[in-house]
């Protein structure tokens, strides 16, 4: 019955999805729909924008106002949507490669401006659609098609980047921690200003297969084992946190949003 309740938000005529069986993208999509449903948001007042990649195909399956845009430019399009329709709840969905590599500058400046949008990062730590190349979030030492002997670069920490760039709501969960993910997405959707939710998810087809976890359940067990709640992490040493995934709400503050500052300028010019 719960699944039936959420079907009204989906374009069923576009099923089946392109996602591999067991892909975490479906878990994130359902958690988002659960958050929308619990908040009672109206479909015609929600806009969801995506770029290019496996996760970015989500907009094709959602029955909201949706835009499937250029690689790395989802936040730029979302900015335009929010400026044109400030009453809309505007959401960006994209992968770690799309949002943090080619789209990295847009991500940083959206946080700096405190745009009133929600950014959901589908963070599978690899390029899943184009052959398993390493991404900006691939951990050091892990294998990818472009790093067959182990990745040598330091990864971007999505949470740290969002915090240092000025985001006013920042949270992280994994697809294993579904109830937490729904809670964080609800908080993000209600937040005034920019919300960033980093969702660590599984691409067992590439990331998992290359790193000894070829089955979806193995990656979920990995998330369960490696995840540490923020409050516990604060009491752990750097060595103890090595290789862990810290989950929780990292920031939730109210500050003047870009839209509010923009409206002040408009009123001043009109006045």
């Amino acid at each position: 019955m719960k699944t039936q309740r959420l079907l009204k938000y989906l374009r069923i005529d576009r099923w089946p999805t392109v996602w591999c069986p067991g892909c975490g993208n479906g878990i994130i999509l359902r958690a988002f729909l659960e958050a929308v449903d619990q908040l009672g948001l109206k479909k015609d007042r929600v806009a969801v924008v995506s770029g290019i990649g496996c996760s970015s195909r989500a907009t094709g399956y959602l029955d909201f106002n949706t835009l499937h845009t250029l690689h790395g430019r989802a936040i730029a399009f979302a900015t335009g949507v929010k400026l044109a329709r400030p009453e809309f709840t505007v959401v960006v969905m994209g992968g770690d490669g799309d949002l943090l590599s080619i789209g990295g500058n847009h991500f940083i400046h959206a946080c700096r401006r405190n745009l009133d949008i929600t950014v959901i990062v589908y963070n599978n730590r690899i390029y899943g659609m184009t052959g398993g190349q390493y991404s900006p979030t691939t951990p050091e030492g892990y294998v990818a098609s472009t790093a067959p002997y182990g990745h040598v670069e330091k990864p971007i920490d999505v949470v740290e980047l969002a915090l240092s760039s000025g985001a006013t709501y920042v949270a992280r969960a994994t697809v294993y921690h579904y109830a937490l993910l729904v809670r964080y997405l609800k908080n993000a959707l209600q937040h005034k200003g920019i919300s960033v939710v980093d969702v660590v998810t599984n691409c067992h087809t590439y990331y998992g297969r290359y790193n000894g976890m070829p089955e979806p359940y193995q990656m979920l067990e990995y998330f369960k084992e490696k995840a540490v709640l923020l409050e516990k992490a604060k009491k752990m040493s750097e060595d103890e946190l090595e290789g862990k995934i810290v989950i929780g709400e990292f920031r939730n503050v109210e500050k003047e949003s870009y839209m509010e500052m923009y409206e002040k300028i408009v009123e001043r010019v009109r006045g």
Side-chain angles (χ1 to χ4, degrees):
M1 291 299 294
K2 284 186 176 181
T3 300
Q4 290 292 324
R5 174 173 49 84
L6 301 179
L7 289 178
K8 62 179 178 285
Y9 300 112
L10 295 167
R11 293 172 177 157
I12 304 298
D13 59 316
R14 299 197 175 188
W15 285 13
T17 73
V18 299
W19 299 326
C20 302
C23 176
N25 290 352
I27 298 175
I28 301 173
L29 192 68
R30 185 196 164 99
F32 169 72
L33 297 181
E34 186 67 54
V36 167
D37 193 64
Q38 289 185 22
L39 292 173
L41 300 181
K42 295 181 179 179
K43 289 196 298 182
D44 62 355
R45 288 296 179 267
V46 176
V48 186
V49 186
S50 66
I52 298 298
C54 291
S55 57
S56 293
R57 297 296 291 271
T59 49
Y61 310 125
L62 291 172
D63 191 20
F64 298 93
N65 302 288
T66 58
L67 287 172
H68 189 189
T69 72
L70 304 173
H71 191 27
R73 305 297 182 246
I75 290 175
F77 278 84
T79 301
V81 172
K82 189 65 181 181
L83 285 168
R85 301 300 297 265
E87 74 277 17
F88 275 25
T89 299
V90 179
V91 180
V92 172
M93 292 183 176
D96 43 295
D98 186 55
L99 291 173
L100 298 167
S101 184
I102 187 171
N105 276 337
H106 293 298
F107 180 89
I108 291 168
H109 294 298
C111 293
R112 177 179 65 84
R113 292 171 178 142
N114 197 28
L115 282 168
D116 193 11
I117 63 174
T118 296
V119 180
I120 305 172
V121 183
Y122 287 58
N123 186 1
N124 60 15
R125 303 173 164 192
I126 206 158
Y127 281 91
M129 178 170 276
T130 55
Q133 299 89 345
Y134 67 78
S135 83
T137 60
T138 303
E140 190 176 5
Y142 279 70
V143 174
S145 63
T146 45
Y149 304 107
H151 188 42
V152 298
E153 299 174 14
K154 301 284 186 188
I156 286 176
D157 185 314
V158 180
V159 166
E160 291 296 332
L161 181 61
L163 291 172
S164 63
S165 299
T168 48
Y169 181 86
V170 183
R172 178 190 284 132
T174 80
V175 290
Y176 176 84
H177 301 84
Y178 180 81
L180 274 182
L181 177 56
V182 173
R183 185 197 306 172
Y184 297 158
L185 289 174
K186 285 175 64 178
N187 291 344
L189 291 168
Q190 295 178 94
H191 182 73
K192 183 187 72 175
I194 191 160
S195 305
V196 177
V197 182
D198 179 30
V199 190
V200 182
T201 183
N202 59 297
C203 176
H204 51 280
T205 301
Y206 285 114
Y207 184 89
R209 180 162 54 89
Y210 290 152
N211 293 284
M213 298 173 285
E215 298 295 336
Y217 77 88
Q218 292 172 313
M219 293 211 68
L220 290 175
E221 288 177 346
Y222 174 81
F223 296 151
K224 178 184 178 182
E225 176 190 337
K226 296 295 184 181
V228 179
L229 285 168
L230 178 59
E231 290 308 309
K232 182 179 179 181
K234 288 177 180 177
K235 302 172 185 176
M236 296 170 65
S237 68
E238 207 170 298
D239 288 341
E240 290 174 319
L241 287 172
E242 183 68 31
K244 299 295 185 183
I245 303 168
V246 182
I247 60 175
E249 285 185 320
F250 294 78
R251 181 181 290 162
N252 187 359
V253 297
E254 291 289 337
K255 290 185 179 180
E256 192 172 36
S257 71
Y258 181 82
M259 301 308 302
E260 291 171 318
M261 292 185 284
Y262 190 82
E263 281 302 313
K264 285 181 180 179
I265 293 175
V266 171
E267 289 303 315
R268 193 171 74 222
V269 171
R270 284 176 176 168

